[in-house]
Amino acid sequence: SAILSSYFLNEKLNIHGKLGCILSILGSTVMVIHAPEEEEVTSLDEMERKLQDPAFVTFAVLLTVVALVLIVVVAPRRGQTNVLIYVLICSLIGAFSVSSVKGLGIAIKQMLERKPVYGHPLVYILVGILMLSVSTQINYLNKALDMFNTSLVTPIYYVCFTTTVVTCSIILFKEWSSMELGDIIGTLSGFCSIIIGIFLLHAFKNTNITWSQLMSTVAKEPSLP
């Protein structure tokens, strides 16, 4: 997206932005490599029990409260000047959309197996949550793209969304209980790389430093005769 926007929209990334994109991709790759295998859920009843788990309910309530505070209080004041506000709203809501898609995928699979799923109330709850979360994400993502460069919004949104979804998956499917020490260290290392990438993208977005300028500062000065 950053490459395409530089060609078609004339939106340029400085050297800090390019390094931030690279660090974000590398950090996400490390997190995926060290991520534990997802626990298999084969029925809507199992999915319903996991959604009712106290840890996930607490996590969902916390996400909802933070998202509402950002939407009602922070976004009207800082949304037009800080790219993270709209992006964080989309990312936090994205955890609900991914969980809903997971549950609806199980429902579709059961439906293809000729099992009665139409009478299960969880199906309609998941459809409602999915429609609400996706519409909210589209709304605030469009606002972010209207206010800020695509080459800045997309990488940050990708990183924040991925981090939120991975965290939600760990809590919902109890993946953390089977992680070894090496995988935990790898996941935290990838997460730290992502945070550094976001910092470089956001903190230096208005700094105009080219590669030639950077190399000229470290070049050896010619010696005087």
Side-chain angles (χ1 to χ4, degrees), residues 16-17 19-24 27 159 188-204:
H16 296 91
L19 290 175
C21 287
I22 294 173
L23 282 174
S24 299
V159 169
L188 294 177
S189 300
F191 181 74
C192 291
S193 300
I194 289 173
I195 295 299
I196 295 173
I198 293 179
F199 176 77
L200 290 176
L201 271 168
H202 185 60
F204 299 98

Side-chain angles (χ1 to χ4, degrees), residues 24-223:
S24 299
I25 294 174
L26 292 177
S28 301
T29 304
V30 171
M31 287 189 68
V32 171
I33 291 175
H34 290 280
E37 294 185 1
E38 184 177 318
E39 182 181 346
E40 184 67 22
V41 180
T42 58
S43 66
L44 286 175
D45 294 330
E46 293 181 22
M47 188 68 182
E48 184 177 4
R49 286 194 295 270
K50 290 188 175 297
L51 292 174
Q52 293 176 350
D53 184 79
F56 178 76
V57 172
T58 303
F59 177 74
V61 171
L62 181 62
L63 283 187
T64 304
V65 171
V66 174
L68 288 176
V69 170
L70 289 175
I71 292 173
V72 177
V73 179
V74 182
R77 301 177 181 177
R78 302 290 182 87
Q80 296 182 352
T81 58
N82 194 328
V83 64
L84 286 176
I85 304 302
Y86 291 147
V87 171
L88 281 177
I89 294 173
C90 297
S91 303
L92 295 176
I93 300 299
F96 297 109
S97 62
V98 172
S99 302
S100 302
V101 169
K102 174 69 176 180
L104 292 175
I106 296 172
I108 293 174
K109 182 179 178 181
Q110 286 189 293
M111 183 178 65
L112 296 177
E113 294 174 353
R114 306 292 183 179
K115 294 181 180 180
V117 297
Y118 300 103
H120 205 295
L122 182 61
V123 175
Y124 305 99
I125 295 176
L126 292 177
V127 170
I129 293 175
L130 181 61
M131 294 177 61
L132 180 62
S133 59
V134 169
S135 60
T136 304
Q137 286 178 260
I138 292 175
N139 179 35
Y140 284 97
L141 183 59
N142 284 333
K143 288 184 178 181
L145 292 174
D146 289 339
M147 298 300 304
F148 306 97
N149 288 347
T150 306
S151 58
L152 181 67
V153 172
T154 308
I156 296 178
Y157 174 59
Y158 159 74
V159 169
C160 294
F161 180 82
T162 303
T163 304
T164 306
V165 170
V166 169
T167 304
C168 178
S169 180
I170 290 175
I171 295 175
L172 180 60
F173 298 104
K174 305 295 183 183
E175 297 168 346
W176 51 269
S177 60
S178 61
M179 292 180 68
E180 298 179 355
L181 180 60
D183 292 329
I184 295 176
I185 295 175
T187 302
L188 294 177
S189 300
F191 181 74
C192 291
S193 300
I194 289 173
I195 295 299
I196 295 173
I198 293 179
F199 176 77
L200 290 176
L201 271 168
H202 185 60
F204 299 98
K205 63 179 183 294
N206 296 323
T207 304
N208 295 320
I209 298 179
T210 62
W211 180 256
S212 60
Q213 292 174 338
L214 183 63
M215 294 303 296
S216 65
T217 59
V218 299
K220 185 178 180 180
E221 295 183 0
S223 58

